[in-house]
Amino acid sequence: MNKPTGFIGLGVMGTPMALNLARSGVPLVVWSRSNNHYDTLRAAGAEVAESLDALFSQCETLILMLAHEAAIDEVLGRHTPLFEQRMAGRLIVNMSTTSSGYSRLLADEIGKGRGQYVEAPVSGSRKPAEAGQLVVMLAGMPEPVEAVRSLIQPLCRDSLVCGDVPGALTMKLAVNLFLITMVTGLAEATHFAQRQGVDLAQFAQALNVGPMASDVSRGKLGKLVAQDFSVQAAITDVLKNSRLVAQAARDLGIASPLLDVCHALYGETEALGQGGLDMVAVIHAIAQRTAQADGSP
């Protein structure tokens, strides 16, 4: 009998992803540092591990969907005697967004620990995750990559093989650069329309029927018009991602002028106490700059 797959990380993205795997019939064991959403996952057929050690003892393939590199290090036991024990004979699937350099080093260390490693970062936010419509980018050795590609089919609209590690994360960072600058531009355009007295419903209609419309622009514009800041992709996460892209650009001496402005704006939005809101809340930082420019209180 095949061993179940482990899934670690049940946040905004991880929970719907794990649910889609469980509902598709994948035998799944889950664990989260925050102990969230366990009842929902049990109802979908997943087993909840009592501890990380219990999860590792049951599973040979483990999917990680964690917030940052420190969380990955913690659950893998990296830099501790546990690491080699946890990696031996296991396939680690990193669906988190990290720096390319970190991922490359992690792949090397897992290989030395007699394990296998596949990068599998995703493009898409909470709603595509819920609908199983993510785009997954994969990198690693061909055999485990193909195994992971088959495993994650319930999560995605499409999957792309991007060569060796860190090819998938490099691709993800390039995609994120476009997403961040596009949504920030949409927020600025909405703020401009508001201040000019344009009817926002009509503004949305003009954009949505035009050549620049996309699934992302329609969804984010709807949230801006309704002033709905419920989270799909959080400000704090977008700020982290913009920091990763900026660092990757700096490492190779690549100019990133649009991203640099966006990075500052998301930092300003987080400083307003809005880190947990959706990324369209960046409009508040833009509005704050307007207020400062015209001397408004």
Side-chain angles (χ1 to χ4, degrees):
M1 184 176 179
N2 291 335
K3 289 194 173 185
T5 295
F7 196 106
I8 301 174
L10 302 175
V12 170
M13 295 290 289
T15 297
M17 290 164 68
L19 281 170
N20 282 334
L21 285 173
R23 288 167 178 164
S24 73
V26 173
L28 200 66
V29 180
V30 301
W31 186 86
S32 174
R33 296 185 305 153
S34 58
N35 299 324
N36 287 336
H37 308 293
Y38 282 164
D39 290 343
T40 304
L41 282 152
R42 282 193 186 98
E47 178 184 344
V48 175
E50 293 182 359
S51 66
L52 268 177
D53 286 337
L55 184 143
F56 275 94
S57 70
Q58 291 176 262
C59 305
E60 292 179 350
T61 298
L62 291 97
I63 296 173
L64 310 180
M65 192 61 181
L66 294 161
H68 45 68
E69 295 164 6
I72 295 172
D73 288 349
E74 179 185 336
V75 301
L76 296 184
R78 195 160 171 249
H79 308 307
T80 76
L82 276 176
F83 182 73
E84 187 170 344
Q85 174 188 330
R86 287 180 172 175
M87 295 305 97
R90 291 190 173 85
L91 169 57
I92 305 300
V93 184
N94 180 21
M95 303 194 80
S96 315
T97 301
T98 68
S99 72
S100 300
Y102 172 86
S103 187
R104 185 188 292 111
L105 184 58
L106 184 60
D108 289 343
E109 292 181 5
I110 289 172
K112 290 175 183 174
R114 296 175 290 120
Q116 295 179 306
Y117 177 78
V118 170
E119 285 180 343
V122 303
S123 180
S125 57
R126 179 175 57 84
K127 285 199 172 181
E130 290 172 346
Q133 292 293 299
L134 297 168
V135 175
V136 181
M137 290 147 277
L138 300 155
M141 297 298 290
E143 187 174 341
V145 162
E146 286 307 313
V148 172
R149 196 176 196 184
S150 176
L151 174 65
I152 53 86
Q153 282 182 352
L155 308 182
C156 59
R157 172 194 306 177
D158 204 352
S159 58
L160 307 170
V161 177
C162 303
D164 296 331
V165 173
L169 274 163
T170 303
M171 182 73 76
K172 169 68 186 290
L173 295 180
V175 170
N176 275 0
L177 195 161
F178 177 58
L179 172 67
I180 292 166
T181 54
M182 177 179 67
V183 174
T184 308
L186 185 64
E188 184 173 328
T190 302
H191 176 66
F192 175 85
Q194 282 178 317
R195 292 293 296 231
Q196 294 285 353
V198 172
D199 180 270
L200 288 188
Q202 194 170 40
F203 169 66
Q205 183 181 10
L207 279 182
N208 288 340
V209 299
M212 296 174 291
S214 67
D215 290 346
V216 170
S217 71
R218 290 187 186 96
K220 295 303 186 186
L221 183 55
K223 291 175 74 64
L224 284 163
V225 171
Q227 297 187 56
D228 170 17
F229 301 108
S230 59
V231 67
Q232 293 176 348
I235 289 287
T236 295
D237 292 334
V238 176
L239 180 60
K240 180 200 83 168
N241 287 338
S242 68
R243 187 178 297 118
L244 289 173
V245 179
Q247 186 57 56
R250 299 296 171 271
D251 289 346
L252 289 179
I254 299 169
S256 55
L258 293 179
L259 179 74
D260 295 345
V261 172
C262 294
H263 184 95
L265 286 166
Y266 284 95
E268 291 165 24
T269 310
E270 186 177 61
L272 290 171
Q274 299 178 354
L277 301 184
D278 188 74
M279 66 186 298
V280 295
V282 72
I283 195 171
H284 295 145
I286 297 168
Q288 180 175 255
R289 288 196 183 193
T290 294
Q292 291 168 345
D294 68 13
S296 300

